[in-house]
Amino acid sequence: MEKKTFYITTPIYYPSAKLHIGHAYCTTIADTIARFKRLAGYEVFFLTGSDEHGQKIQRTAEAQNVTPIEYVDKIVASFQELWKRLEISNDDFIRTSEPRHHKVVQEVFRRIRDKGDIYKGEYTGLYCTPCESYWTELQLDENGCCPDCHRPVEKVSEEAYFFKISKYADSILKYIEDNPEFLEPKSRRNEMISFIKQGLEDLCISRTSFNWGIPVPDDEKHVIYVWFDALTNYLTPIGFLDDEEKFKKYWPADVHLVGKEIVRFHTIIWGCILMALGIELPKKVYGHGWLVISGDKMSKSKGNVVDPMLLIDEFGSDAIRYFLLREIVLGQDGNFNRDALIQRINSDLANDLGNLLHRTLNMINKFQKGVLLESVGGTEIDESLKNEAAETAREYRVLMENLQISDAVKLVWKFISRCNKYIDETAPWKLAKDETQKQNLSNVLYNLAESLRIIAILISPFIPTTSRRILEQLQLSQDIKLEDAETFGKLEINHVVGKPEQLFPRIEIE
């Protein structure tokens, strides 16, 4: 039987500066979904990367007396370092400056031009360099500035190529209306429907006022303009031009995960490009919310941009991942707050999970020389723990399939709390003092070790390092599958567990 495939992407990030915690949030979500799908037996392709062209990069590089590629090389290396430290398990990293991508973008341009959907014209517009966006007078903010970043716009007039988006307006509107699962959450879908109904203008897709970009085929004084180049990245690594079998295997993408501010490009512009190419649209575009810092939107000018590298240095990657996944409901804006992070580390990671592992292994080592003995019979309390383990694994699968990640994290922690309560209810230290309770003691310790095995599997998409460490301390294989968590009782009799090591030290608050 062929494995089911799953293709997930993040946006490709713009290397105008170092990445902040918002980028880390988006990539952690995508990584968690990818890890879950692998755990569930899918063949996964997970893509992230960098969007490297454009006037803004060219100007920044000139100001620093370096070439654009020298400038982006350095920043992109910092992206890749961050993803490594956050344990991001991407299968490819696409850079739009790579030759493999240039070929794809030029071929896409050629095919759409040959179809008559690209024409040459004159463009006059108000251009915001930092956002790489054109605006009409009506769209500017009250100060006549860019409505997105509120910085001044420049009047630009030049010869340009245009893509006939207007031709596809009715088709893309019908597609979004007929396929509710294509764009989530629902609020973003409604925004896009009303945006299209206001009318779509043809899209300017080339520029002549700078040259840091992919040349237009047969007209090299033009470079292909940002979104036409950037969005095509999703086709490049899965063999659009050079590996038909691979392309068939992974396209259409299952999920494009993007920030809510770029949903328009990923649904309307990308949808129209694909329609013009005669290629299926992605199955889902998911627009996640923003990360606000203690209630305030992150911005460089406010000086409240949080550097994820520094957080990882201080707290470790799993603590950061856990906080982002648990605290923020996918699709809504979320609040990042240092005090809340420390509180989560202390209560959920050190107390609930760390203590459960430590107490369990300690007792198995102390009362049974580290050996798991046969579990026979059992009390009502034992049965209720086993039932909850099975119920948790079942519900977890459903939540994760529906991208309800925050709920899935909470569900697993509810089971962790149940295990801690089970220790208090069964009091193994008392059972150990009574010879007649030997079987009961064996049962309780077996059930706890087995619960930890299941927990280690379920948390592996969220906090992979911690999952590995739990399996190591239980002396179990790292080769895990989701179905292994759905059966209680897989630990072998006479299995020997390891010695406990602290997972998360408590953080003292001054």
mmCIF file with all atom_site columns, all heavy atoms in Angstrom, residues 274-297:
data_model
loop_
_atom_site.group_PDB
_atom_site.id
_atom_site.type_symbol
_atom_site.label_atom_id
_atom_site.label_alt_id
_atom_site.label_comp_id
_atom_site.label_asym_id
_atom_site.label_entity_id
_atom_site.label_seq_id
_atom_site.pdbx_PDB_ins_code
_atom_site.Cartn_x
_atom_site.Cartn_y
_atom_site.Cartn_z
_atom_site.occupancy
_atom_site.B_iso_or_equiv
_atom_site.pdbx_formal_charge
_atom_site.auth_seq_id
_atom_site.auth_comp_id
_atom_site.auth_asym_id
_atom_site.auth_atom_id
_atom_site.pdbx_PDB_model_num
ATOM 1   N N   . LEU A 1 274 ? -2.099 30.034 -10.666 1.00 0.00 ? 274 LEU A N   1
ATOM 2   C CA  . LEU A 1 274 ? -2.280 28.589 -10.877 1.00 0.00 ? 274 LEU A CA  1
ATOM 3   C C   . LEU A 1 274 ? -3.385 28.312 -11.894 1.00 0.00 ? 274 LEU A C   1
ATOM 4   O O   . LEU A 1 274 ? -3.267 27.412 -12.726 1.00 0.00 ? 274 LEU A O   1
ATOM 5   C CB  . LEU A 1 274 ? -2.566 27.901 -9.535  1.00 0.00 ? 274 LEU A CB  1
ATOM 6   C CG  . LEU A 1 274 ? -1.368 27.849 -8.574  1.00 0.00 ? 274 LEU A CG  1
ATOM 7   C CD1 . LEU A 1 274 ? -1.814 27.466 -7.169  1.00 0.00 ? 274 LEU A CD1 1
ATOM 8   C CD2 . LEU A 1 274 ? -0.293 26.872 -9.064  1.00 0.00 ? 274 LEU A CD2 1
ATOM 9   N N   . MET A 1 275 ? -4.458 29.098 -11.832 1.00 0.00 ? 275 MET A N   1
ATOM 10  C CA  . MET A 1 275 ? -5.530 28.924 -12.823 1.00 0.00 ? 275 MET A CA  1
ATOM 11  C C   . MET A 1 275 ? -5.003 29.196 -14.237 1.00 0.00 ? 275 MET A C   1
ATOM 12  O O   . MET A 1 275 ? -5.321 28.473 -15.182 1.00 0.00 ? 275 MET A O   1
ATOM 13  C CB  . MET A 1 275 ? -6.712 29.852 -12.499 1.00 0.00 ? 275 MET A CB  1
ATOM 14  C CG  . MET A 1 275 ? -7.559 29.347 -11.350 1.00 0.00 ? 275 MET A CG  1
ATOM 15  S SD  . MET A 1 275 ? -8.870 30.525 -10.935 1.00 0.00 ? 275 MET A SD  1
ATOM 16  C CE  . MET A 1 275 ? -9.813 29.533 -9.745  1.00 0.00 ? 275 MET A CE  1
ATOM 17  N N   . ALA A 1 276 ? -4.183 30.238 -14.372 1.00 0.00 ? 276 ALA A N   1
ATOM 18  C CA  . ALA A 1 276 ? -3.611 30.572 -15.683 1.00 0.00 ? 276 ALA A CA  1
ATOM 19  C C   . ALA A 1 276 ? -2.694 29.455 -16.177 1.00 0.00 ? 276 ALA A C   1
ATOM 20  O O   . ALA A 1 276 ? -2.588 29.205 -17.383 1.00 0.00 ? 276 ALA A O   1
ATOM 21  C CB  . ALA A 1 276 ? -2.850 31.891 -15.599 1.00 0.00 ? 276 ALA A CB  1
ATOM 22  N N   . LEU A 1 277 ? -2.039 28.760 -15.246 1.00 0.00 ? 277 LEU A N   1
ATOM 23  C CA  . LEU A 1 277 ? -1.148 27.653 -15.610 1.00 0.00 ? 277 LEU A CA  1
ATOM 24  C C   . LEU A 1 277 ? -1.914 26.349 -15.838 1.00 0.00 ? 277 LEU A C   1
ATOM 25  O O   . LEU A 1 277 ? -1.344 25.360 -16.303 1.00 0.00 ? 277 LEU A O   1
ATOM 26  C CB  . LEU A 1 277 ? -0.126 27.405 -14.494 1.00 0.00 ? 277 LEU A CB  1
ATOM 27  C CG  . LEU A 1 277 ? 1.028  28.401 -14.346 1.00 0.00 ? 277 LEU A CG  1
ATOM 28  C CD1 . LEU A 1 277 ? 1.762  28.161 -13.031 1.00 0.00 ? 277 LEU A CD1 1
ATOM 29  C CD2 . LEU A 1 277 ? 1.999  28.295 -15.523 1.00 0.00 ? 277 LEU A CD2 1
ATOM 30  N N   . GLY A 1 278 ? -3.187 26.356 -15.445 1.00 0.00 ? 278 GLY A N   1
ATOM 31  C CA  . GLY A 1 278 ? -3.972 25.123 -15.537 1.00 0.00 ? 278 GLY A CA  1
ATOM 32  C C   . GLY A 1 278 ? -3.559 24.097 -14.502 1.00 0.00 ? 278 GLY A C   1
ATOM 33  O O   . GLY A 1 278 ? -3.633 22.891 -14.723 1.00 0.00 ? 278 GLY A O   1
ATOM 34  N N   . ILE A 1 279 ? -3.108 24.594 -13.330 1.00 0.00 ? 279 ILE A N   1
ATOM 35  C CA  . ILE A 1 279 ? -2.661 23.701 -12.253 1.00 0.00 ? 279 ILE A CA  1
ATOM 36  C C   . ILE A 1 279 ? -3.654 23.812 -11.091 1.00 0.00 ? 279 ILE A C   1
ATOM 37  O O   . ILE A 1 279 ? -4.160 24.892 -10.794 1.00 0.00 ? 279 ILE A O   1
ATOM 38  C CB  . ILE A 1 279 ? -1.240 24.105 -11.773 1.00 0.00 ? 279 ILE A CB  1
ATOM 39  C CG1 . ILE A 1 279 ? -0.218 23.838 -12.878 1.00 0.00 ? 279 ILE A CG1 1
ATOM 40  C CG2 . ILE A 1 279 ? -0.839 23.361 -10.510 1.00 0.00 ? 279 ILE A CG2 1
ATOM 41  C CD1 . ILE A 1 279 ? 1.181  24.328 -12.542 1.00 0.00 ? 279 ILE A CD1 1
ATOM 42  N N   . GLU A 1 280 ? -3.886 22.685 -10.445 1.00 0.00 ? 280 GLU A N   1
ATOM 43  C CA  . GLU A 1 280 ? -4.804 22.662 -9.289  1.00 0.00 ? 280 GLU A CA  1
ATOM 44  C C   . GLU A 1 280 ? -4.371 23.639 -8.200  1.00 0.00 ? 280 GLU A C   1
ATOM 45  O O   . GLU A 1 280 ? -3.166 23.824 -7.958  1.00 0.00 ? 280 GLU A O   1
ATOM 46  C CB  . GLU A 1 280 ? -4.739 21.263 -8.664  1.00 0.00 ? 280 GLU A CB  1
ATOM 47  C CG  . GLU A 1 280 ? -5.981 20.446 -8.863  1.00 0.00 ? 280 GLU A CG  1
ATOM 48  C CD  . GLU A 1 280 ? -5.814 19.078 -8.208  1.00 0.00 ? 280 GLU A CD  1
ATOM 49  O OE1 . GLU A 1 280 ? -4.955 18.298 -8.677  1.00 0.00 ? 280 GLU A OE1 1
ATOM 50  O OE2 . GLU A 1 280 ? -6.527 18.827 -7.218  1.00 0.00 ? 280 GLU A OE2 1
ATOM 51  N N   . LEU A 1 281 ? -5.338 24.206 -7.498  1.00 0.00 ? 281 LEU A N   1
ATOM 52  C CA  . LEU A 1 281 ? -5.029 25.100 -6.376  1.00 0.00 ? 281 LEU A CA  1
ATOM 53  C C   . LEU A 1 281 ? -4.666 24.278 -5.142  1.00 0.00 ? 281 LEU A C   1
ATOM 54  O O   . LEU A 1 281 ? -5.066 23.114 -5.028  1.00 0.00 ? 281 LEU A O   1
ATOM 55  C CB  . LEU A 1 281 ? -6.233 25.997 -6.070  1.00 0.00 ? 281 LEU A CB  1
ATOM 56  C CG  . LEU A 1 281 ? -6.269 27.323 -6.863  1.00 0.00 ? 281 LEU A CG  1
ATOM 57  C CD1 . LEU A 1 281 ? -6.376 27.072 -8.359  1.00 0.00 ? 281 LEU A CD1 1
ATOM 58  C CD2 . LEU A 1 281 ? -7.417 28.209 -6.382  1.00 0.00 ? 281 LEU A CD2 1
ATOM 59  N N   . PRO A 1 282 ? -3.918 24.873 -4.196  1.00 0.00 ? 282 PRO A N   1
ATOM 60  C CA  . PRO A 1 282 ? -3.609 24.147 -2.962  1.00 0.00 ? 282 PRO A CA  1
ATOM 61  C C   . PRO A 1 282 ? -4.903 23.774 -2.229  1.00 0.00 ? 282 PRO A C   1
ATOM 62  O O   . PRO A 1 282 ? -5.930 24.428 -2.402  1.00 0.00 ? 282 PRO A O   1
ATOM 63  C CB  . PRO A 1 282 ? -2.786 25.138 -2.139  1.00 0.00 ? 282 PRO A CB  1
ATOM 64  C CG  . PRO A 1 282 ? -3.009 26.469 -2.759  1.00 0.00 ? 282 PRO A CG  1
ATOM 65  C CD  . PRO A 1 282 ? -3.345 26.231 -4.188  1.00 0.00 ? 282 PRO A CD  1
ATOM 66  N N   . LYS A 1 283 ? -4.826 22.720 -1.402  1.00 0.00 ? 283 LYS A N   1
ATOM 67  C CA  . LYS A 1 283 ? -6.035 22.279 -0.712  1.00 0.00 ? 283 LYS A CA  1
ATOM 68  C C   . LYS A 1 283 ? -6.451 23.275 0.365   1.00 0.00 ? 283 LYS A C   1
ATOM 69  O O   . LYS A 1 283 ? -7.629 23.449 0.641   1.00 0.00 ? 283 LYS A O   1
ATOM 70  C CB  . LYS A 1 283 ? -5.807 20.903 -0.071  1.00 0.00 ? 283 LYS A CB  1
ATOM 71  C CG  . LYS A 1 283 ? -5.621 19.802 -1.102  1.00 0.00 ? 283 LYS A CG  1
ATOM 72  C CD  . LYS A 1 283 ? -5.345 18.461 -0.438  1.00 0.00 ? 283 LYS A CD  1
ATOM 73  C CE  . LYS A 1 283 ? -4.788 17.452 -1.440  1.00 0.00 ? 283 LYS A CE  1
ATOM 74  N NZ  . LYS A 1 283 ? -4.264 16.259 -0.777  1.00 0.00 ? 283 LYS A NZ  1
ATOM 75  N N   . LYS A 1 284 ? -5.462 23.908 1.001   1.00 0.00 ? 284 LYS A N   1
ATOM 76  C CA  . LYS A 1 284 ? -5.805 24.828 2.090   1.00 0.00 ? 284 LYS A CA  1
ATOM 77  C C   . LYS A 1 284 ? -4.753 25.919 2.259   1.00 0.00 ? 284 LYS A C   1
ATOM 78  O O   . LYS A 1 284 ? -3.554 25.660 2.215   1.00 0.00 ? 284 LYS A O   1
ATOM 79  C CB  . LYS A 1 284 ? -5.928 24.056 3.409   1.00 0.00 ? 284 LYS A CB  1
ATOM 80  C CG  . LYS A 1 284 ? -6.525 24.897 4.557   1.00 0.00 ? 284 LYS A CG  1
ATOM 81  C CD  . LYS A 1 284 ? -6.496 24.203 5.907   1.00 0.00 ? 284 LYS A CD  1
ATOM 82  C CE  . LYS A 1 284 ? -7.246 22.902 5.962   1.00 0.00 ? 284 LYS A CE  1
ATOM 83  N NZ  . LYS A 1 284 ? -8.702 23.054 5.743   1.00 0.00 ? 284 LYS A NZ  1
ATOM 84  N N   . VAL A 1 285 ? -5.245 27.146 2.419   1.00 0.00 ? 285 VAL A N   1
ATOM 85  C CA  . VAL A 1 285 ? -4.392 28.250 2.872   1.00 0.00 ? 285 VAL A CA  1
ATOM 86  C C   . VAL A 1 285 ? -4.887 28.595 4.269   1.00 0.00 ? 285 VAL A C   1
ATOM 87  O O   . VAL A 1 285 ? -6.085 28.833 4.462   1.00 0.00 ? 285 VAL A O   1
ATOM 88  C CB  . VAL A 1 285 ? -4.509 29.475 1.942   1.00 0.00 ? 285 VAL A CB  1
ATOM 89  C CG1 . VAL A 1 285 ? -3.710 30.648 2.499   1.00 0.00 ? 285 VAL A CG1 1
ATOM 90  C CG2 . VAL A 1 285 ? -4.048 29.124 0.525   1.00 0.00 ? 285 VAL A CG2 1
ATOM 91  N N   . TYR A 1 286 ? -3.990 28.567 5.234   1.00 0.00 ? 286 TYR A N   1
ATOM 92  C CA  . TYR A 1 286 ? -4.410 28.862 6.613   1.00 0.00 ? 286 TYR A CA  1
ATOM 93  C C   . TYR A 1 286 ? -3.733 30.146 7.071   1.00 0.00 ? 286 TYR A C   1
ATOM 94  O O   . TYR A 1 286 ? -2.515 30.223 7.124   1.00 0.00 ? 286 TYR A O   1
ATOM 95  C CB  . TYR A 1 286 ? -4.038 27.707 7.560   1.00 0.00 ? 286 TYR A CB  1
ATOM 96  C CG  . TYR A 1 286 ? -4.857 27.754 8.834   1.00 0.00 ? 286 TYR A CG  1
ATOM 97  C CD1 . TYR A 1 286 ? -5.879 26.845 9.051   1.00 0.00 ? 286 TYR A CD1 1
ATOM 98  C CD2 . TYR A 1 286 ? -4.640 28.755 9.785   1.00 0.00 ? 286 TYR A CD2 1
ATOM 99  C CE1 . TYR A 1 286 ? -6.672 26.929 10.198  1.00 0.00 ? 286 TYR A CE1 1
ATOM 100 C CE2 . TYR A 1 286 ? -5.429 28.841 10.924  1.00 0.00 ? 286 TYR A CE2 1
ATOM 101 C CZ  . TYR A 1 286 ? -6.439 27.932 11.125  1.00 0.00 ? 286 TYR A CZ  1
ATOM 102 O OH  . TYR A 1 286 ? -7.228 28.020 12.240  1.00 0.00 ? 286 TYR A OH  1
ATOM 103 N N   . GLY A 1 287 ? -4.528 31.164 7.379   1.00 0.00 ? 287 GLY A N   1
ATOM 104 C CA  . GLY A 1 287 ? -3.981 32.455 7.811   1.00 0.00 ? 287 GLY A CA  1
ATOM 105 C C   . GLY A 1 287 ? -3.935 32.540 9.325   1.00 0.00 ? 287 GLY A C   1
ATOM 106 O O   . GLY A 1 287 ? -4.969 32.696 9.975   1.00 0.00 ? 287 GLY A O   1
ATOM 107 N N   . HIS A 1 288 ? -2.729 32.411 9.881   1.00 0.00 ? 288 HIS A N   1
ATOM 108 C CA  . HIS A 1 288 ? -2.627 32.468 11.358  1.00 0.00 ? 288 HIS A CA  1
ATOM 109 C C   . HIS A 1 288 ? -2.586 33.921 11.835  1.00 0.00 ? 288 HIS A C   1
ATOM 110 O O   . HIS A 1 288 ? -2.365 34.853 11.046  1.00 0.00 ? 288 HIS A O   1
ATOM 111 C CB  . HIS A 1 288 ? -1.402 31.685 11.846  1.00 0.00 ? 288 HIS A CB  1
ATOM 112 C CG  . HIS A 1 288 ? -0.081 32.275 11.450  1.00 0.00 ? 288 HIS A CG  1
ATOM 113 N ND1 . HIS A 1 288 ? 0.427  33.419 12.040  1.00 0.00 ? 288 HIS A ND1 1
ATOM 114 C CD2 . HIS A 1 288 ? 0.828  31.882 10.533  1.00 0.00 ? 288 HIS A CD2 1
ATOM 115 C CE1 . HIS A 1 288 ? 1.607  33.702 11.495  1.00 0.00 ? 288 HIS A CE1 1
ATOM 116 N NE2 . HIS A 1 288 ? 1.867  32.793 10.571  1.00 0.00 ? 288 HIS A NE2 1
ATOM 117 N N   . GLY A 1 289 ? -2.792 34.112 13.134  1.00 0.00 ? 289 GLY A N   1
ATOM 118 C CA  . GLY A 1 289 ? -2.817 35.463 13.701  1.00 0.00 ? 289 GLY A CA  1
ATOM 119 C C   . GLY A 1 289 ? -1.412 35.993 13.970  1.00 0.00 ? 289 GLY A C   1
ATOM 120 O O   . GLY A 1 289 ? -0.408 35.347 13.689  1.00 0.00 ? 289 GLY A O   1
ATOM 121 N N   . TRP A 1 290 ? -1.365 37.198 14.526  1.00 0.00 ? 290 TRP A N   1
ATOM 122 C CA  . TRP A 1 290 ? -0.089 37.824 14.867  1.00 0.00 ? 290 TRP A CA  1
ATOM 123 C C   . TRP A 1 290 ? 0.268  37.537 16.317  1.00 0.00 ? 290 TRP A C   1
ATOM 124 O O   . TRP A 1 290 ? -0.602 37.280 17.157  1.00 0.00 ? 290 TRP A O   1
ATOM 125 C CB  . TRP A 1 290 ? -0.177 39.331 14.688  1.00 0.00 ? 290 TRP A CB  1
ATOM 126 C CG  . TRP A 1 290 ? -0.101 39.747 13.259  1.00 0.00 ? 290 TRP A CG  1
ATOM 127 C CD1 . TRP A 1 290 ? 0.475  39.064 12.229  1.00 0.00 ? 290 TRP A CD1 1
ATOM 128 C CD2 . TRP A 1 290 ? -0.650 40.950 12.698  1.00 0.00 ? 290 TRP A CD2 1
ATOM 129 N NE1 . TRP A 1 290 ? 0.328  39.769 11.060  1.00 0.00 ? 290 TRP A NE1 1
ATOM 130 C CE2 . TRP A 1 290 ? -0.343 40.924 11.314  1.00 0.00 ? 290 TRP A CE2 1
ATOM 131 C CE3 . TRP A 1 290 ? -1.350 42.035 13.217  1.00 0.00 ? 290 TRP A CE3 1
ATOM 132 C CZ2 . TRP A 1 290 ? -0.729 41.962 10.449  1.00 0.00 ? 290 TRP A CZ2 1
ATOM 133 C CZ3 . TRP A 1 290 ? -1.717 43.064 12.365  1.00 0.00 ? 290 TRP A CZ3 1
ATOM 134 C CH2 . TRP A 1 290 ? -1.415 43.018 10.994  1.00 0.00 ? 290 TRP A CH2 1
ATOM 135 N N   . LEU A 1 291 ? 1.538  37.651 16.595  1.00 0.00 ? 291 LEU A N   1
ATOM 136 C CA  . LEU A 1 291 ? 2.009  37.543 17.964  1.00 0.00 ? 291 LEU A CA  1
ATOM 137 C C   . LEU A 1 291 ? 2.193  38.955 18.478  1.00 0.00 ? 291 LEU A C   1
ATOM 138 O O   . LEU A 1 291 ? 2.954  39.732 17.902  1.00 0.00 ? 291 LEU A O   1
ATOM 139 C CB  . LEU A 1 291 ? 3.362  36.816 17.942  1.00 0.00 ? 291 LEU A CB  1
ATOM 140 C CG  . LEU A 1 291 ? 3.692  35.919 19.123  1.00 0.00 ? 291 LEU A CG  1
ATOM 141 C CD1 . LEU A 1 291 ? 2.562  34.950 19.389  1.00 0.00 ? 291 LEU A CD1 1
ATOM 142 C CD2 . LEU A 1 291 ? 4.965  35.144 18.845  1.00 0.00 ? 291 LEU A CD2 1
ATOM 143 N N   . VAL A 1 292 ? 1.474  39.302 19.530  1.00 0.00 ? 292 VAL A N   1
ATOM 144 C CA  . VAL A 1 292 ? 1.679  40.629 20.121  1.00 0.00 ? 292 VAL A CA  1
ATOM 145 C C   . VAL A 1 292 ? 2.509  40.469 21.390  1.00 0.00 ? 292 VAL A C   1
ATOM 146 O O   . VAL A 1 292 ? 2.500  39.418 22.030  1.00 0.00 ? 292 VAL A O   1
ATOM 147 C CB  . VAL A 1 292 ? 0.337  41.344 20.410  1.00 0.00 ? 292 VAL A CB  1
ATOM 148 C CG1 . VAL A 1 292 ? -0.363 41.704 19.111  1.00 0.00 ? 292 VAL A CG1 1
ATOM 149 C CG2 . VAL A 1 292 ? -0.586 40.487 21.251  1.00 0.00 ? 292 VAL A CG2 1
ATOM 150 N N   . ILE A 1 293 ? 3.260  41.489 21.721  1.00 0.00 ? 293 ILE A N   1
ATOM 151 C CA  . ILE A 1 293 ? 4.179  41.410 22.856  1.00 0.00 ? 293 ILE A CA  1
ATOM 152 C C   . ILE A 1 293 ? 3.556  42.171 24.018  1.00 0.00 ? 293 ILE A C   1
ATOM 153 O O   . ILE A 1 293 ? 3.397  43.390 23.949  1.00 0.00 ? 293 ILE A O   1
ATOM 154 C CB  . ILE A 1 293 ? 5.547  42.035 22.501  1.00 0.00 ? 293 ILE A CB  1
ATOM 155 C CG1 . ILE A 1 293 ? 6.149  41.305 21.296  1.00 0.00 ? 293 ILE A CG1 1
ATOM 156 C CG2 . ILE A 1 293 ? 6.507  42.007 23.692  1.00 0.00 ? 293 ILE A CG2 1
ATOM 157 C CD1 . ILE A 1 293 ? 6.403  39.829 21.503  1.00 0.00 ? 293 ILE A CD1 1
ATOM 158 N N   . SER A 1 294 ? 3.180  41.423 25.049  1.00 0.00 ? 294 SER A N   1
ATOM 159 C CA  . SER A 1 294 ? 2.487  42.018 26.198  1.00 0.00 ? 294 SER A CA  1
ATOM 160 C C   . SER A 1 294 ? 1.386  42.972 25.721  1.00 0.00 ? 294 SER A C   1
ATOM 161 O O   . SER A 1 294 ? 1.254  44.095 26.186  1.00 0.00 ? 294 SER A O   1
ATOM 162 C CB  . SER A 1 294 ? 3.489  42.745 27.098  1.00 0.00 ? 294 SER A CB  1
ATOM 163 O OG  . SER A 1 294 ? 4.511  41.844 27.473  1.00 0.00 ? 294 SER A OG  1
ATOM 164 N N   . GLY A 1 295 ? 0.624  42.516 24.729  1.00 0.00 ? 295 GLY A N   1
ATOM 165 C CA  . GLY A 1 295 ? -0.535 43.277 24.254  1.00 0.00 ? 295 GLY A CA  1
ATOM 166 C C   . GLY A 1 295 ? -0.238 44.289 23.164  1.00 0.00 ? 295 GLY A C   1
ATOM 167 O O   . GLY A 1 295 ? -1.136 44.959 22.676  1.00 0.00 ? 295 GLY A O   1
ATOM 168 N N   . ASP A 1 296 ? 1.022  44.436 22.743  1.00 0.00 ? 296 ASP A N   1
ATOM 169 C CA  . ASP A 1 296 ? 1.408  45.474 21.791  1.00 0.00 ? 296 ASP A CA  1
ATOM 170 C C   . ASP A 1 296 ? 1.982  44.839 20.532  1.00 0.00 ? 296 ASP A C   1
ATOM 171 O O   . ASP A 1 296 ? 2.786  43.911 20.628  1.00 0.00 ? 296 ASP A O   1
ATOM 172 C CB  . ASP A 1 296 ? 2.492  46.347 22.451  1.00 0.00 ? 296 ASP A CB  1
ATOM 173 C CG  . ASP A 1 296 ? 2.460  47.772 21.925  1.00 0.00 ? 296 ASP A CG  1
ATOM 174 O OD1 . ASP A 1 296 ? 1.614  48.059 21.066  1.00 0.00 ? 296 ASP A OD1 1
ATOM 175 O OD2 . ASP A 1 296 ? 3.294  48.583 22.375  1.00 0.00 ? 296 ASP A OD2 1
ATOM 176 N N   . LYS A 1 297 ? 1.609  45.338 19.333  1.00 0.00 ? 297 LYS A N   1
ATOM 177 C CA  . LYS A 1 297 ? 2.145  44.757 18.088  1.00 0.00 ? 297 LYS A CA  1
ATOM 178 C C   . LYS A 1 297 ? 3.657  44.985 18.023  1.00 0.00 ? 297 LYS A C   1
ATOM 179 O O   . LYS A 1 297 ? 4.147  46.052 18.353  1.00 0.00 ? 297 LYS A O   1
ATOM 180 C CB  . LYS A 1 297 ? 1.458  45.390 16.882  1.00 0.00 ? 297 LYS A CB  1
ATOM 181 C CG  . LYS A 1 297 ? 1.772  44.674 15.583  1.00 0.00 ? 297 LYS A CG  1
ATOM 182 C CD  . LYS A 1 297 ? 0.886  45.169 14.444  1.00 0.00 ? 297 LYS A CD  1
ATOM 183 C CE  . LYS A 1 297 ? 1.170  44.406 13.163  1.00 0.00 ? 297 LYS A CE  1
ATOM 184 N NZ  . LYS A 1 297 ? 2.391  44.743 12.484  1.00 0.00 ? 297 LYS A NZ  1
#
